Amino acid sequence: MLCAEGEGQRGFPDGKGAGPGATQPVPRPEPAAEIGSARLLQGRREIVIRHGDCAYRLRVTASDKLILTK
């Protein structure tokens, strides 16, 4: 983390950190997995994705965009 002008170590004015009783930094989430649309669709223009009790329809439009509907 870079310190702004007038700030000490770790972004705290005194340069010593947060001290007792401070909250811990929030961990960053894992990056999202990436799957190509061609791998999902396997040559089709539309697939159904089941999520719990719901079915979602992923389809490729005439302008080659993806639409996901419930």
Side-chain angles (χ1 to χ4, degrees):
M1 176 176 178
L2 297 175
C3 296
E5 188 177 331
E7 291 182 340
Q9 176 186 352
R10 302 174 87 195
F12 296 95
D14 64 2
K16 297 179 184 173
T23 60
Q24 294 294 319
V26 177
R28 293 187 181 183
E30 293 285 326
E34 186 173 311
I35 299 172
S37 61
R39 185 172 173 193
L40 284 174
L41 295 164
Q42 299 177 355
R44 298 175 183 94
R45 301 288 296 175
E46 185 175 292
I47 61 170
V48 174
I49 301 170
R50 293 253 173 228
H51 181 69
D53 294 338
C54 297
Y56 295 84
R57 200 169 295 275
L58 179 67
R59 66 181 179 92
V60 181
T61 67
S63 58
D64 204 36
K65 298 188 188 262
L66 294 174
I67 294 182
L68 181 67
T69 55
K70 188 170 181 183

